Amino acid sequence: MGRAAVAAVDADPDLRLVAVVSRNHHGSMVADLVPGVEDVVVAGTVEHLDPAEIDCLLDLTVGDSASDHMRWAASAGLDIVVGASGVGDDMVASMAELFDRSRCLIVSNFAIG
């Protein structure tokens, strides 16, 4: 899912891919992971990102990581779209009060099969 999202963002002329986060690929070039994509160095955590370069964060992880990313986005005043597994009602409620300067959209992530 992450590689498909990276390719889709990169292919859209109205969007600009400025960062990718992956603990498993930290330090790699995105173009080595998703051929044809603009070359961006993969960061190991969101803390390695420069919020000034980001308009919106897209999170396609799991509950605990998504929670950390939502907290980071809220503290940086960034919008975030979350398509993560394991985001329950309690997490949604606890995040709601953090987003006073930005927005958080949580979209159910599911598979059939």
Side-chain angles (χ1 to χ4, degrees):
M1 175 61 94
R3 290 178 194 212
V6 165
V9 167
D10 189 67
D12 189 317
D14 293 330
L15 301 176
R16 185 170 66 97
L17 182 69
V18 296
V20 172
V21 176
S22 171
R23 282 184 252 160
N24 296 335
H25 299 291
H26 180 207
S28 298
M29 299 304 288
V30 173
D32 292 336
L33 304 169
V34 185
V37 170
E38 181 179 333
D39 230 0
V40 174
V41 177
V42 178
T45 67
V46 291
E47 288 80 13
H48 291 114
L49 303 179
D50 179 359
E53 293 184 3
I54 302 167
D55 291 325
C56 182
L57 193 66
L58 172 62
D59 181 275
L60 301 171
T61 60
V62 294
D64 290 340
S65 294
S67 174
D68 292 344
H69 299 160
M70 286 186 275
R71 290 179 196 285
W72 183 83
S75 71
L78 294 172
D79 295 337
I80 184 170
V81 175
V82 179
S85 300
V87 177
D89 292 342
D90 290 343
M91 186 183 301
V92 171
S94 70
M95 293 298 147
E97 59 194 48
L98 298 179
F99 284 88
D100 57 352
R101 299 182 299 145
S102 58
R103 298 164 292 186
C104 178
L105 173 64
I106 300 172
V107 182
S108 296
N109 183 17
F110 61 92
I112 300 173

XYZ file of all heavy atoms in Angstrom:
810
model
N 0.821 -1.198 0.000
C 0.000 0.000 0.000
C 0.861 1.256 0.000
O 0.587 2.195 -0.725
C -0.927 -0.012 1.217
C -1.750 1.247 1.366
S -2.859 1.582 -0.002
C -4.320 0.848 0.605
N 1.918 1.289 0.770
C 2.777 2.461 0.845
C 3.423 2.797 -0.480
O 3.464 3.959 -0.890
N 3.930 1.792 -1.165
C 4.576 2.027 -2.464
C 3.569 2.526 -3.493
O 3.872 3.403 -4.297
C 5.274 0.765 -2.957
C 6.489 0.442 -2.112
C 7.162 -0.824 -2.542
N 8.095 -1.229 -1.509
C 9.221 -1.854 -1.742
N 9.548 -2.193 -2.963
N 10.024 -2.172 -0.754
N 2.360 1.987 -3.466
C 1.322 2.450 -4.388
C 0.955 3.901 -4.085
O 0.744 4.698 -5.013
C 0.091 1.550 -4.291
N 0.879 4.256 -2.818
C 0.562 5.634 -2.436
C 1.672 6.580 -2.864
O 1.403 7.677 -3.368
C 0.330 5.727 -0.928
N 2.918 6.178 -2.682
C 4.051 6.998 -3.106
C 3.989 7.238 -4.609
O 4.147 8.369 -5.084
C 5.398 6.333 -2.708
C 6.574 6.963 -3.438
C 5.594 6.412 -1.203
N 3.746 6.182 -5.380
C 3.669 6.308 -6.834
C 2.503 7.215 -7.237
O 2.641 8.041 -8.156
C 3.531 4.929 -7.478
N 1.365 7.107 -6.562
C 0.195 7.922 -6.896
C 0.441 9.395 -6.592
O 0.095 10.269 -7.395
C -1.029 7.418 -6.131
N 1.031 9.676 -5.449
C 1.344 11.071 -5.097
C 2.331 11.644 -6.098
O 2.168 12.759 -6.599
C 1.891 11.177 -3.654
C 2.506 12.543 -3.394
C 0.794 10.868 -2.648
N 3.361 10.886 -6.409
C 4.383 11.360 -7.338
C 3.814 11.595 -8.739
O 4.238 12.514 -9.438
C 5.535 10.364 -7.400
C 6.710 10.902 -8.176
O 7.347 11.870 -7.695
O 6.988 10.375 -9.267
N 2.846 10.804 -9.150
C 2.272 10.909 -10.493
C 1.291 12.068 -10.633
O 1.007 12.499 -11.745
C 1.574 9.600 -10.867
N 0.773 12.583 -9.532
C -0.223 13.653 -9.590
C 0.475 15.003 -9.751
O 1.241 15.412 -8.880
C -1.068 13.651 -8.314
C -2.247 14.577 -8.396
O -2.105 15.721 -8.899
O -3.336 14.166 -7.949
N 0.196 15.732 -10.827
C 0.876 17.003 -11.047
C 0.530 18.082 -10.018
O 1.264 19.063 -9.879
C 0.420 17.413 -12.455
C -0.850 16.680 -12.679
C -0.743 15.399 -11.892
N -0.554 17.895 -9.275
C -0.948 18.866 -8.257
C -0.322 18.584 -6.893
O -0.513 19.353 -5.951
C -2.469 18.901 -8.109
C -3.149 19.443 -9.351
O -2.530 20.280 -10.045
O -4.284 19.018 -9.635
N 0.389 17.460 -6.775
C 1.009 17.086 -5.513
C 2.517 17.020 -5.679
O 3.023 16.810 -6.776
C 0.483 15.715 -5.046
C -1.026 15.605 -4.839
C -1.392 14.170 -4.479
C -1.489 16.565 -3.759
N 3.226 17.173 -4.550
C 4.682 17.026 -4.574
C 5.095 16.139 -3.418
O 4.791 16.420 -2.261
C 5.362 18.385 -4.463
C 6.866 18.320 -4.611
C 7.465 19.704 -4.736
N 7.311 20.495 -3.532
C 8.250 20.622 -2.605
N 9.409 20.016 -2.727
N 8.025 21.370 -1.545
N 5.769 15.049 -3.735
C 6.274 14.131 -2.719
C 7.527 14.745 -2.109
O 8.515 14.972 -2.801
C 6.609 12.777 -3.357
C 7.108 11.699 -2.407
C 5.979 11.240 -1.490
C 7.657 10.528 -3.202
N 7.487 15.052 -0.810
C 8.647 15.682 -0.167
C 9.324 14.782 0.847
O 10.458 15.042 1.241
C 8.285 17.031 0.496
C 7.831 18.041 -0.545
C 7.252 16.865 1.586
N 8.636 13.726 1.279
C 9.231 12.864 2.293
C 8.543 11.509 2.312
O 7.369 11.390 1.986
C 9.106 13.504 3.677
N 9.309 10.500 2.703
C 8.805 9.153 2.922
C 9.443 8.653 4.210
O 10.631 8.871 4.439
C 9.157 8.211 1.745
C 8.803 6.776 2.067
C 8.461 8.668 0.474
N 8.663 7.991 5.052
C 9.175 7.462 6.315
C 9.033 5.946 6.315
O 7.964 5.420 6.020
C 8.411 8.046 7.525
C 8.889 7.415 8.824
C 8.555 9.553 7.569
N 10.124 5.262 6.644
C 10.102 3.805 6.775
C 11.270 3.387 7.649
O 12.418 3.656 7.316
C 10.219 3.139 5.402
O 10.407 1.741 5.554
N 10.972 2.740 8.759
C 12.060 2.236 9.617
C 12.897 1.203 8.881
O 14.102 1.136 9.058
C 11.491 1.632 10.897
C 11.087 2.679 11.903
C 10.622 2.029 13.179
N 9.167 2.222 13.197
C 8.331 1.518 13.901
N 8.752 0.537 14.630
N 7.050 1.778 13.871
N 12.246 0.407 8.041
C 12.954 -0.662 7.330
C 13.847 -0.161 6.208
O 14.783 -0.854 5.807
C 11.956 -1.673 6.754
C 11.180 -2.392 7.824
O 11.637 -2.519 8.962
N 10.003 -2.847 7.485
N 13.548 1.018 5.658
C 14.296 1.519 4.499
C 14.980 2.851 4.767
O 15.357 3.555 3.827
C 13.351 1.643 3.300
C 12.745 0.348 2.894
N 13.478 -0.674 2.332
C 11.482 -0.115 3.001
C 12.685 -1.700 2.096
N 11.463 -1.389 2.507
N 15.167 3.202 6.045
C 15.793 4.460 6.437
C 17.127 4.644 5.705
O 17.961 3.757 5.687
C 16.015 4.474 7.949
C 16.659 5.711 8.445
N 17.416 5.748 9.576
C 16.670 6.971 7.957
C 17.863 6.962 9.779
N 17.420 7.723 8.806
N 17.284 5.795 5.064
C 18.512 6.107 4.352
C 18.512 5.707 2.882
O 19.378 6.117 2.126
N 17.537 4.908 2.479
C 17.433 4.502 1.072
C 16.890 5.667 0.254
O 16.320 6.616 0.779
C 16.467 3.321 0.918
O 16.923 2.206 1.611
N 17.036 5.556 -1.039
C 16.425 6.516 -1.950
C 15.075 5.946 -2.387
O 14.978 4.752 -2.702
C 17.314 6.758 -3.165
C 18.683 7.326 -2.812
S 18.617 8.860 -1.853
C 18.066 10.013 -3.088
N 14.044 6.775 -2.401
C 12.715 6.325 -2.785
C 12.730 5.726 -4.188
O 12.080 4.719 -4.451
C 11.689 7.477 -2.687
C 10.344 7.058 -3.241
C 11.540 7.916 -1.244
N 13.506 6.317 -5.082
C 13.557 5.829 -6.469
C 14.066 4.391 -6.550
O 13.741 3.670 -7.492
C 14.423 6.739 -7.324
N 14.847 3.942 -5.563
C 15.314 2.551 -5.542
C 14.200 1.594 -5.114
O 14.247 0.405 -5.409
C 16.508 2.397 -4.597
C 17.757 3.112 -5.099
O 17.856 3.336 -6.331
O 18.600 3.455 -4.265
N 13.209 2.116 -4.405
C 12.098 1.306 -3.901
C 10.884 1.350 -4.825
O 10.144 0.375 -4.947
C 11.692 1.781 -2.502
C 12.812 1.786 -1.457
C 12.360 2.516 -0.204
C 13.248 0.376 -1.137
N 10.671 2.490 -5.452
C 9.543 2.699 -6.356
C 10.109 3.329 -7.627
O 10.245 4.544 -7.711
C 8.458 3.605 -5.728
C 7.254 3.710 -6.644
C 8.050 3.104 -4.354
N 10.464 2.510 -8.593
C 11.099 3.023 -9.816
C 10.266 4.110 -10.499
O 9.041 4.030 -10.552
C 11.219 1.788 -10.711
C 11.226 0.637 -9.746
C 10.324 1.056 -8.618
N 10.965 5.131 -10.966
C 10.309 6.216 -11.686
C 9.834 7.349 -10.810
O 9.372 8.368 -11.298
N 9.959 7.191 -9.499
C 9.495 8.215 -8.564
C 10.617 9.208 -8.306
O 11.789 8.855 -8.285
C 9.033 7.546 -7.241
C 8.784 8.557 -6.165
C 7.783 6.721 -7.493
N 10.227 10.461 -8.082
C 11.188 11.511 -7.752
C 12.079 11.045 -6.608
O 11.615 10.406 -5.668
C 10.421 12.768 -7.337
C 11.303 13.935 -7.002
C 10.500 15.168 -6.631
O 9.352 15.317 -7.087
O 11.032 15.985 -5.888
N 13.346 11.388 -6.685
C 14.284 10.901 -5.678
C 14.203 11.695 -4.375
O 14.444 12.897 -4.346
C 15.714 10.927 -6.220
C 16.425 9.612 -6.000
O 15.795 8.702 -5.438
O 17.582 9.506 -6.375
N 13.826 11.008 -3.328
C 13.729 11.548 -1.982
C 14.390 10.524 -1.074
O 14.221 9.326 -1.266
C 12.238 11.735 -1.577
C 12.105 12.150 -0.143
C 11.555 12.728 -2.497
N 15.140 10.990 -0.073
C 15.749 10.080 0.888
C 14.698 9.644 1.898
O 13.926 10.460 2.406
C 16.930 10.755 1.629
C 17.511 9.837 2.683
C 18.006 11.193 0.645
N 14.651 8.360 2.208
C 13.687 7.818 3.159
C 14.152 8.119 4.585
O 15.276 7.799 4.961
C 13.523 6.289 2.974
C 12.556 5.732 4.006
C 13.068 5.964 1.555
N 13.284 8.736 5.361
C 13.561 9.026 6.761
C 13.169 7.822 7.614
O 12.269 7.063 7.252
C 12.783 10.258 7.215
N 13.810 7.662 8.764
C 13.510 6.539 9.650
C 12.312 6.770 10.546
O 11.602 5.835 10.910
N 12.059 8.033 10.896
C 10.919 8.390 11.747
C 10.404 9.760 11.333
O 11.106 10.520 10.655
C 11.297 8.460 13.248
O 12.204 9.560 13.452
C 11.931 7.170 13.736
N 9.204 10.109 11.772
C 8.662 11.429 11.452
C 9.490 12.540 12.090
O 9.523 13.660 11.594
C 7.169 11.576 11.845
C 6.285 10.727 10.970
C 6.943 11.305 13.311
N 10.170 12.226 13.171
C 10.996 13.231 13.840
C 12.146 13.703 12.950
O 12.720 14.761 13.179
C 11.546 12.693 15.172
C 10.504 12.576 16.262
C 9.638 11.317 16.147
O 9.963 10.386 15.378
O 8.599 11.276 16.826
N 12.491 12.941 11.921
C 13.545 13.338 10.981
C 13.024 14.288 9.900
O 13.796 14.767 9.071
C 14.151 12.100 10.301
C 14.951 11.250 11.206
N 14.572 9.970 11.556
C 16.115 11.488 11.856
C 15.465 9.458 12.376
N 16.408 10.357 12.577
N 11.718 14.543 9.878
C 11.121 15.375 8.841
C 11.137 16.849 9.238
O 11.148 17.190 10.419
C 9.676 14.942 8.582
C 9.456 13.489 8.186
C 7.971 13.226 7.988
C 10.246 13.135 6.937
N 11.099 17.721 8.239
C 10.997 19.160 8.454
C 9.542 19.571 8.217
O 9.083 19.590 7.068
C 11.915 19.896 7.479
C 11.850 21.406 7.630
O 11.081 21.912 8.478
O 12.573 22.088 6.879
N 8.806 19.889 9.275
C 7.389 20.239 9.112
C 7.158 21.406 8.151
O 6.100 21.493 7.534
C 6.943 20.618 10.528
C 7.938 19.984 11.433
C 9.232 19.923 10.668
N 8.134 22.276 7.994
C 7.980 23.423 7.103
C 7.856 23.000 5.635
O 7.361 23.759 4.813
C 9.155 24.383 7.278
N 8.291 21.795 5.301
C 8.230 21.308 3.929
C 6.958 20.516 3.631
O 6.734 20.099 2.504
C 9.432 20.401 3.641
C 10.761 21.115 3.642
C 11.906 20.202 3.266
O 11.663 19.021 2.942
O 13.052 20.670 3.301
N 6.127 20.298 4.650
C 4.986 19.391 4.522
C 3.672 20.148 4.676
O 3.512 20.940 5.597
C 5.077 18.282 5.605
C 6.385 17.511 5.460
C 3.876 17.353 5.536
C 6.699 16.626 6.635
N 2.731 19.873 3.774
C 1.379 20.410 3.907
C 0.450 19.393 4.565
O -0.429 19.745 5.335
C 0.799 20.774 2.540
C 1.495 21.966 1.929
O 1.893 22.889 2.667
O 1.652 21.977 0.697
N 0.635 18.127 4.208
C -0.229 17.072 4.721
C 0.560 15.771 4.807
O 1.318 15.435 3.902
C -1.434 16.887 3.803
S -2.609 15.641 4.389
N 0.385 15.064 5.893
C 1.039 13.779 6.117
C 0.041 12.666 5.807
O -1.131 12.766 6.159
C 1.467 13.711 7.583
C 2.426 12.651 8.053
C 3.793 12.856 7.420
C 2.562 12.730 9.570
N 0.500 11.626 5.132
C -0.325 10.448 4.850
C 0.262 9.285 5.623
O 1.419 8.928 5.425
C -0.332 10.145 3.350
C -1.000 8.833 2.923
C -2.481 8.844 3.301
C -0.821 8.622 1.426
N -0.509 8.706 6.515
C -0.032 7.602 7.350
C -0.734 6.311 6.941
O -1.951 6.221 6.991
C -0.313 7.901 8.818
C 0.184 6.786 9.713
O -0.560 5.807 9.901
O 1.322 6.873 10.202
N 0.054 5.316 6.551
C -0.490 4.001 6.173
C 0.209 2.926 6.996
O 0.806 2.004 6.457
C -0.272 3.763 4.670
C -0.912 4.792 3.752
C -0.467 4.594 2.311
C -2.424 4.743 3.861
N 0.149 3.062 8.309
C 0.855 2.142 9.198
C -0.136 1.308 10.002
O -1.120 0.828 9.466
C 1.800 2.933 10.132
O 1.032 3.858 10.911
C 2.859 3.688 9.351
N 0.120 1.156 11.289
C -0.764 0.452 12.222
C -0.983 1.337 13.443
O -0.278 2.327 13.626
C -0.195 -0.923 12.640
C -0.135 -1.869 11.457
C 1.172 -0.773 13.270
N -1.928 0.955 14.291
C -2.366 1.753 15.428
C -1.314 2.503 16.212
O -1.376 3.723 16.326
N -0.327 1.808 16.791
C 0.659 2.477 17.639
C 1.480 3.499 16.869
O 1.696 4.617 17.333
C 1.582 1.460 18.312
C 0.868 0.634 19.370
O -0.193 1.076 19.860
O 1.373 -0.453 19.713
N 1.935 3.119 15.688
C 2.703 4.061 14.870
C 1.827 5.219 14.426
O 2.250 6.380 14.438
C 3.293 3.364 13.644
O 4.259 2.415 14.027
N 0.606 4.917 14.029
C -0.314 5.967 13.597
C -0.561 6.959 14.729
O -0.597 8.171 14.504
C -1.629 5.361 13.123
N -0.687 6.473 15.942
C -0.890 7.344 17.096
C 0.295 8.300 17.257
O 0.114 9.507 17.462
C -1.066 6.496 18.360
O -1.132 7.314 19.495
N 1.506 7.770 17.157
C 2.708 8.613 17.255
C 2.736 9.645 16.141
O 3.070 10.808 16.369
C 3.980 7.757 17.185
C 4.163 6.865 18.388
O 3.501 7.098 19.429
O 4.962 5.916 18.285
N 2.376 9.236 14.931
C 2.393 10.150 13.784
C 1.316 11.225 13.910
O 1.540 12.387 13.554
C 2.237 9.372 12.484
C 3.348 8.400 12.262
N 3.233 7.336 11.408
C 4.597 8.322 12.783
C 4.367 6.648 11.419
N 5.200 7.226 12.248
N 0.145 10.846 14.438
C -0.912 11.831 14.645
C -0.488 12.864 15.683
O -0.704 14.063 15.493
C -2.221 11.151 15.059
C -2.911 10.441 13.910
S -4.541 9.779 14.361
C -4.076 8.190 15.075
N 0.131 12.400 16.761
C 0.611 13.328 17.799
C 1.645 14.294 17.231
O 1.617 15.488 17.506
C 1.188 12.568 18.988
C 0.160 11.847 19.809
C 0.807 11.075 20.982
N -0.103 10.117 21.517
C -1.156 10.406 22.285
N -1.404 11.654 22.590
N -1.945 9.456 22.721
N 2.575 13.759 16.426
C 3.614 14.592 15.825
C 2.986 15.615 14.884
O 3.337 16.800 14.918
C 4.630 13.723 15.077
C 5.759 14.511 14.505
C 6.883 14.929 15.155
C 5.867 15.003 13.164
N 7.686 15.649 14.299
C 7.087 15.704 13.079
C 5.057 14.912 12.041
C 7.511 16.318 11.902
C 5.472 15.534 10.866
C 6.688 16.217 10.807
N 2.044 15.181 14.043
C 1.385 16.096 13.109
C 0.639 17.196 13.868
O 0.735 18.371 13.504
C 0.429 15.324 12.198
N -0.082 16.820 14.902
C -0.828 17.806 15.686
C 0.117 18.823 16.319
O -0.142 20.029 16.277
C -1.661 17.112 16.761
N 1.222 18.361 16.886
C 2.166 19.285 17.533
C 2.836 20.204 16.516
O 3.217 21.321 16.844
C 3.211 18.522 18.345
O 4.104 17.838 17.490
N 2.969 19.738 15.270
C 3.588 20.541 14.214
C 2.566 21.393 13.469
O 2.933 22.182 12.591
C 4.319 19.628 13.230
N 1.289 21.236 13.786
C 0.240 21.979 13.108
C -0.013 21.505 11.691
O -0.451 22.270 10.838
N 0.245 20.222 11.431
C 0.081 19.649 10.099
C -1.201 18.832 9.997
O -1.586 18.145 10.938
C 1.257 18.729 9.766
C 2.617 19.388 9.631
C 3.693 18.325 9.487
C 2.634 20.336 8.453
N -1.817 18.879 8.827
C -2.944 17.994 8.551
C -2.401 16.590 8.327
O -1.270 16.414 7.868
C -3.681 18.441 7.285
C -4.345 19.796 7.444
O -4.627 20.209 8.582
O -4.578 20.445 6.402
N -3.220 15.583 8.645
C -2.820 14.192 8.442
C -4.024 13.369 7.991
O -5.145 13.574 8.470
C -2.182 13.579 9.716
C -1.669 12.157 9.451
C -3.113 13.644 10.896
C -0.817 11.579 10.587
N -3.775 12.475 7.052
C -4.760 11.485 6.624
C -4.228 10.143 7.079
O -3.105 9.776 6.762
C -4.953 11.493 5.088
C -5.899 10.375 4.662
C -5.452 12.848 4.622
N -5.022 9.419 7.857
C -4.592 8.148 8.431
C -5.411 7.016 7.828
O -6.634 7.003 7.931
C -4.751 8.157 9.973
C -4.318 6.836 10.571
C -3.970 9.312 10.586
N -4.719 6.060 7.206
C -5.347 4.857 6.672
C -4.693 3.671 7.334
O -4.088 2.845 6.670
N -4.757 3.622 8.635
C -4.043 2.616 9.419
C -4.989 1.616 10.049
O -6.112 1.958 10.421
C -3.224 3.294 10.522
N -4.518 0.401 10.201
C -5.252 -0.627 10.929
C -5.081 -0.387 12.424
O -4.047 0.109 12.864
C -4.705 -2.016 10.587
O -4.829 -2.275 9.229
N -6.079 -0.732 13.204
C -5.954 -0.684 14.651
C -6.172 0.676 15.282
O -5.702 0.940 16.381
N -6.885 1.552 14.607
C -7.218 2.852 15.190
C -8.634 2.738 15.742
O -9.608 2.763 14.996
C -7.126 3.990 14.147
C -7.554 5.313 14.753
C -5.717 4.079 13.587
N -8.723 2.589 17.052
C -10.019 2.388 17.696
C -10.655 3.673 18.180
O -10.073 4.757 18.094
N -11.863 3.543 18.713
C -12.621 4.693 19.195
C -11.886 5.466 20.279
O -11.943 6.699 20.313
C -13.991 4.248 19.723
C -14.900 3.741 18.610
O -14.630 4.047 17.432
O -15.870 3.026 18.937
N -11.203 4.757 21.190
C -10.461 5.432 22.262
C -9.343 6.301 21.695
O -9.124 7.424 22.162
C -9.860 4.422 23.247
C -10.922 3.730 24.081
O -12.063 4.238 24.134
O -10.609 2.682 24.671
N -8.639 5.792 20.679
C -7.563 6.561 20.066
C -8.131 7.779 19.349
O -7.587 8.881 19.450
C -6.749 5.717 19.093
C -5.528 6.453 18.549
S -4.593 5.518 17.320
C -4.132 4.049 18.223
N -9.232 7.596 18.641
C -9.863 8.714 17.934
C -10.256 9.798 18.932
O -9.995 10.993 18.714
C -11.092 8.244 17.122
C -11.868 9.429 16.577
C -10.653 7.311 16.001
N -10.848 9.404 20.040
C -11.273 10.368 21.061
C -10.079 11.114 21.648
O -10.132 12.336 21.838
C -12.053 9.655 22.160
N -8.994 10.402 21.915
C -7.822 11.055 22.507
C -7.123 11.987 21.519
O -6.509 12.969 21.914
C -6.832 10.019 23.051
O -6.213 9.307 22.003
N -7.233 11.709 20.229
C -6.606 12.553 19.207
C -7.426 13.800 18.928
O -6.879 14.849 18.589
C -6.403 11.777 17.903
C -5.405 10.669 17.989
S -3.762 11.308 18.394
C -3.149 9.944 19.352
N -8.741 13.720 19.082
C -9.627 14.822 18.721
C -9.227 16.123 19.406
O -9.227 17.186 18.787
C -11.074 14.464 19.046
N -8.859 16.043 20.659
C -8.525 17.270 21.394
C -7.148 17.827 21.019
O -6.851 18.983 21.300
C -8.621 17.035 22.892
C -7.706 15.948 23.403
C -8.058 15.493 24.805
O -9.251 15.240 25.057
O -7.137 15.394 25.620
N -6.301 17.029 20.361
C -4.970 17.493 19.979
C -4.974 18.363 18.733
O -4.082 19.181 18.529
C -4.029 16.307 19.738
C -3.757 15.387 20.918
C -2.835 14.256 20.480
C -3.145 16.161 22.074
N -5.959 18.174 17.874
C -5.976 18.859 16.585
C -6.763 20.168 16.671
O -7.888 20.268 16.217
C -6.522 17.927 15.492
C -5.517 16.911 15.070
C -5.419 15.694 15.733
C -4.632 17.184 14.048
C -4.459 14.763 15.374
C -3.660 16.256 13.674
C -3.582 15.044 14.339
N -6.110 21.182 17.241
C -6.739 22.490 17.341
C -6.208 23.462 16.286
O -6.822 24.474 16.011
C -6.562 23.072 18.744
C -5.110 23.185 19.154
O -4.223 22.675 18.436
O -4.842 23.786 20.204
N -5.059 23.140 15.663
C -4.484 23.999 14.617
C -4.481 23.323 13.251
O -4.099 23.915 12.250
C -3.034 24.366 14.950
C -2.861 25.142 16.227
C -1.411 25.506 16.461
N -0.583 24.306 16.566
C 0.667 24.214 16.126
N 1.228 25.237 15.533
N 1.346 23.101 16.285
N -4.848 22.072 13.214
C -4.815 21.308 11.966
C -5.922 20.263 11.989
O -6.679 20.173 12.943
C -3.441 20.651 11.788
O -3.138 19.808 12.891
N -5.970 19.471 10.917
C -7.059 18.491 10.789
C -6.511 17.081 10.697
O -5.402 16.858 10.212
C -7.879 18.802 9.543
C -8.548 20.166 9.606
C -9.017 20.616 8.275
N -7.823 20.889 7.445
C -7.873 21.416 6.243
N -9.014 21.714 5.707
N -6.775 21.636 5.557
N -7.332 16.127 11.124
C -6.981 14.705 11.069
C -8.166 13.956 10.495
O -9.272 14.014 11.014
C -6.659 14.208 12.477
S -6.271 12.448 12.551
N -7.903 13.245 9.379
C -8.932 12.426 8.752
C -8.502 10.975 8.903
O -7.431 10.585 8.430
C -9.080 12.783 7.265
C -10.011 11.889 6.455
C -11.448 11.991 6.956
C -9.935 12.253 4.978
N -9.316 10.185 9.586
C -9.016 8.764 9.779
C -9.948 7.967 8.889
O -11.170 8.052 9.001
C -9.181 8.362 11.257
C -8.219 9.177 12.124
C -8.943 6.863 11.427
C -8.423 9.019 13.617
N -9.353 7.212 7.970
C -10.099 6.432 6.991
C -9.865 4.958 7.296
O -8.731 4.520 7.426
C -9.594 6.748 5.563
C -10.380 5.983 4.536
C -9.659 8.251 5.296
N -10.937 4.222 7.419
C -10.804 2.791 7.725
C -9.914 2.111 6.711
O -9.996 2.352 5.509
C -12.181 2.124 7.721
O -12.971 2.663 8.743
N -9.069 1.252 7.196
C -8.163 0.480 6.351
C -8.579 -0.976 6.492
O -8.537 -1.526 7.576
C -6.725 0.683 6.825
C -5.730 -0.033 5.961
O -6.031 -0.428 4.844
N -4.530 -0.200 6.483
N -8.979 -1.565 5.396
C -9.438 -2.960 5.478
C -9.161 -3.690 4.181
O -8.940 -3.080 3.144
C -10.929 -3.019 5.814
C -11.804 -2.342 4.785
C -12.336 -3.054 3.732
C -12.071 -0.986 4.881
C -13.126 -2.442 2.776
C -12.870 -0.365 3.937
C -13.395 -1.093 2.894
N -9.157 -4.963 4.287
C -8.959 -5.821 3.110
C -10.048 -6.895 3.116
O -10.557 -7.273 4.164
C -7.589 -6.474 3.138
N -10.381 -7.350 1.952
C -11.355 -8.431 1.844
C -10.615 -9.676 1.385
O -9.867 -9.642 0.421
C -12.467 -8.081 0.832
C -13.196 -6.830 1.291
C -13.411 -9.242 0.638
C -14.197 -6.305 0.300
N -10.797 -10.749 2.106
C -10.133 -11.973 1.683
C -9.549 -12.746 2.799
O -9.524 -12.449 3.912
